Amino acid sequence: MSKKTDNMTEEELNARHAEKMKKKKAARDKIIATKTIEKGLTIVHTGKGKGKSTAAFGMVFRALGNGMKVAVVQFVKGKWGTGERNVLDKFPDQVSLATMGEGFTWETQDRQRDIDAARAAWEQAKTFIMDNEHDMVLCDELNIVLRYDYLPIEEVLEVLEQKPEMKHVIITGRNAKDELVEAADLVTDMTQVKHPFRSGVKAQVGIEF
Amino acid sequence: MSKKTDNMTEEELNARHAEKMKKKKAARDKIIATKTIEKGLTIVHTGKGKGKSTAAFGMVFRALGNGMKVAVVQFVKGKWGTGERNVLDKFPDQVSLATMGEGFTWETQDRQRDIDAARAAWEQAKTFIMDNEHDMVLCDELNIVLRYDYLPIEEVLEVLEQKPEMKHVIITGRNAKDELVEAADLVTDMTQVKHPFRSGVKAQVGIEF
């Protein structure tokens, strides 16, 4: 509250508030009324902060709760714990899962194997994106693969451009390429403000995995 | 890849990559080895971008998948659709849900009722935060309530300071107060880079609700 409100009575505050909220609601209703297009969205979660994959999974779970069919392709191996998997398992008829053999991992140090795994994952993702079965496709950590040039960005952009009109595609990972941000409908940068690692706290069940 | 790599053979590229990854892995292993503290975290998702509540729900769902007990308190009415609810319903023995009567909403324009609802929601949240039953408590959109000074921030900070050691508390909403950011262990600002509303796209099932 601003200083200005300090001398107001509770009644005046309430009246003032009601007036303000009324205006806000009117403005909001007006904006929403202009939004009439329904279409599949290309959504990018990037940035150095936490929550990129977690928010993507939040969308996936919500979509599942809404009865939608969802495909999840994992471009980095071993990133998910059993937590995500146990939730996905609750919707066996709605989920297609592709985990990519070795996938990309800090453990391999084998560039050619990573490139092959990325290619295999992408071929699978492409099928899910282009089909008429799935409503939503999550390409988890695809940005990392693109960043290392394991896949040509042009190929990804081409598929996004040709995807069925109502298909939602979510792409996560740091360092999203500019061309992808350009092509996307919704881009959020998860910005790290504070991280407990800095004070010696280790990764914990339910938080990190 | 940098220009420098243009003249390298595939073999040289692969060898260089293996070396680089080996170093990265060693650095990463070293960092992780220093992280030994396990404790309940206070987590804040703020910012104007999308994904604050969605990432929080992602954490909630993952925690449920890991067998944890979770309480969810909704400080803004009508924000969740059936999607979230249908997922939570899959874990009936692990979830406590508190939706706050009218809660805060653009529809009421009734300040006193909002204050009362905020108080009721907070009393419920406090119980969940202080008990020894729940592993994680999500206070969805608590920041909005704090922002309007419907609840004194001091009261929230006091509870966070006294909470059981292993309890995780997630607080979402725009305009997180500085004191809360200060008190939190992990803070992410969801920064809006691009939003489809700008091009006339309306809120859609699976994306917005």
Side-chain angles (χ1 to χ4, degrees):
Chain A
M1 300 272 156
S2 70
K3 285 282 162 206
K4 240 179 79 188
T5 62
D6 283 354
N7 297 325
M8 291 172 87
T9 65
E10 273 295 303
E11 284 70 31
E12 284 168 333
L13 268 175
N14 289 345
R16 187 167 174 267
H17 177 83
E19 193 52 39
K20 219 162 118 188
M21 286 295 124
K22 212 166 154 180
K23 276 188 193 149
K24 276 210 179 188
K25 176 168 154 45
R28 200 165 152 270
D29 288 350
K30 205 169 152 184
I31 290 170
I32 289 171
T34 65
K35 311 305 174 189
T36 52
I37 304 166
E38 266 200 60
K39 66 163 199 162
L41 301 178
T42 296
I43 298 167
V44 176
H45 292 172
T46 191
K48 289 186 183 168
K50 292 195 58 70
K52 296 182 288 292
S53 294
T54 308
F57 268 101
M59 294 181 89
V60 164
F61 295 144
R62 185 167 51 197
L64 292 172
N66 280 314
M68 294 164 83
K69 293 197 94 173
V70 183
V72 179
V73 182
Q74 180 190 38
F75 282 88
V76 171
K77 201 204 169 185
K79 230 203 71 190
W80 317 339
T82 46
E84 283 88 353
R85 227 166 266 268
N86 287 343
V87 182
L88 295 176
D89 285 350
K90 299 271 181 186
F91 301 88
D93 303 333
Q94 292 168 247
V95 178
S96 303
L97 207 59
T99 52
M100 280 310 117
E102 286 304 310
F104 175 91
T105 147
W106 301 114
E107 312 294 327
T108 66
Q109 298 145 29
D110 184 333
R111 184 169 164 271
Q112 194 52 54
R113 191 165 68 176
D114 288 348
I115 292 176
D116 295 343
R119 166 61 54 193
W122 173 244
E123 291 303 324
Q124 187 62 72
K126 213 156 66 177
T127 310
F128 292 141
I129 294 173
M130 297 307 291
D131 72 21
N132 289 307
E133 191 190 338
H134 297 90
D135 302 294
M136 180 182 282
V137 181
L138 165 57
C139 297
D140 193 39
E141 302 288 7
L142 175 56
N143 285 338
I144 293 193
V145 165
L146 291 172
R147 196 228 162 157
Y148 280 96
D149 292 323
Y150 287 175
L151 275 179
I153 177 77
E154 296 74 23
E155 218 182 305
V156 174
L157 296 178
E158 204 184 306
V159 169
L160 291 175
E161 207 177 301
Q162 291 169 4
K163 73 180 171 63
E165 210 192 325
M166 293 308 298
K167 181 91 55 164
H168 299 297
V169 178
I170 313 171
I171 296 169
T172 71
R174 292 184 183 206
N175 301 109
K177 293 232 168 184
D178 292 344
E179 303 95 307
L180 182 64
V181 170
E182 188 56 43
D185 300 291
L186 193 159
V187 180
T188 306
D189 184 287
M190 273 67 173
T191 310
Q192 178 173 304
V193 178
K194 207 173 185 184
H195 196 292
F197 252 36
R198 289 195 191 151
S199 36
V201 177
K202 74 177 188 182
Q204 292 170 90
V205 173
I207 302 297
E208 309 276 338
F209 56 90
Chain B
M1 300 271 156
S2 70
K3 285 283 161 202
K4 239 179 81 188
T5 61
D6 283 355
N7 297 324
M8 291 172 87
T9 65
E10 273 296 302
E11 285 68 32
E12 284 168 334
L13 269 175
N14 289 344
R16 188 167 173 266
H17 176 85
E19 192 52 39
K20 220 163 118 187
M21 287 295 124
K22 212 167 153 179
K23 275 187 193 151
K24 278 209 178 189
K25 176 167 154 46
R28 198 165 152 271
D29 288 349
K30 205 169 153 185
I31 290 170
I32 289 171
T34 66
K35 313 303 174 189
T36 51
I37 305 165
E38 266 199 62
K39 66 164 199 161
L41 301 178
T42 296
I43 297 167
V44 175
H45 292 173
T46 192
K48 290 186 181 167
K50 292 195 58 69
K52 296 182 287 292
S53 294
T54 308
F57 268 101
M59 293 179 92
V60 164
F61 295 143
R62 185 168 50 198
L64 293 173
N66 279 315
M68 294 163 85
K69 293 196 93 173
V70 183
V72 179
V73 183
Q74 180 190 39
F75 282 87
V76 171
K77 199 203 170 188
K79 229 204 72 191
W80 316 339
T82 46
E84 282 88 353
R85 228 168 265 270
N86 287 342
V87 182
L88 294 175
D89 285 350
K90 299 271 182 185
F91 300 89
D93 303 333
Q94 291 168 249
V95 178
S96 303
L97 208 58
T99 53
M100 282 310 116
E102 286 302 311
F104 175 91
T105 148
W106 302 113
E107 312 294 326
T108 66
Q109 298 145 31
D110 182 334
R111 182 168 165 273
Q112 195 51 54
R113 192 165 67 175
D114 288 349
I115 291 177
D116 295 344
R119 167 59 54 192
W122 173 243
E123 291 302 326
Q124 188 61 73
K126 213 155 67 176
T127 310
F128 292 141
I129 294 173
M130 297 306 291
D131 72 20
N132 289 306
E133 192 190 337
H134 297 91
D135 303 294
M136 180 183 282
V137 182
L138 166 56
C139 298
D140 194 38
E141 302 290 4
L142 175 57
N143 284 337
I144 294 192
V145 165
L146 292 171
R147 196 225 161 161
Y148 280 95
D149 292 324
Y150 287 175
L151 274 179
I153 177 78
E154 295 74 22
E155 218 182 305
V156 174
L157 295 178
E158 204 184 307
V159 169
L160 291 176
E161 205 176 301
Q162 291 170 4
K163 71 181 171 64
E165 210 193 325
M166 294 308 297
K167 181 91 57 165
H168 299 297
V169 178
I170 313 171
I171 295 169
T172 70
R174 293 182 180 207
N175 301 110
K177 294 232 169 186
D178 293 343
E179 301 96 306
L180 182 65
V181 170
E182 188 55 42
D185 300 293
L186 193 159
V187 180
T188 306
D189 184 286
M190 272 68 173
T191 309
Q192 179 173 303
V193 178
K194 207 174 186 184
H195 195 292
F197 254 34
R198 290 196 190 150
S199 36
V201 177
K202 76 177 188 182
Q204 293 171 90
V205 173
I207 302 297
E208 309 278 338
F209 55 91

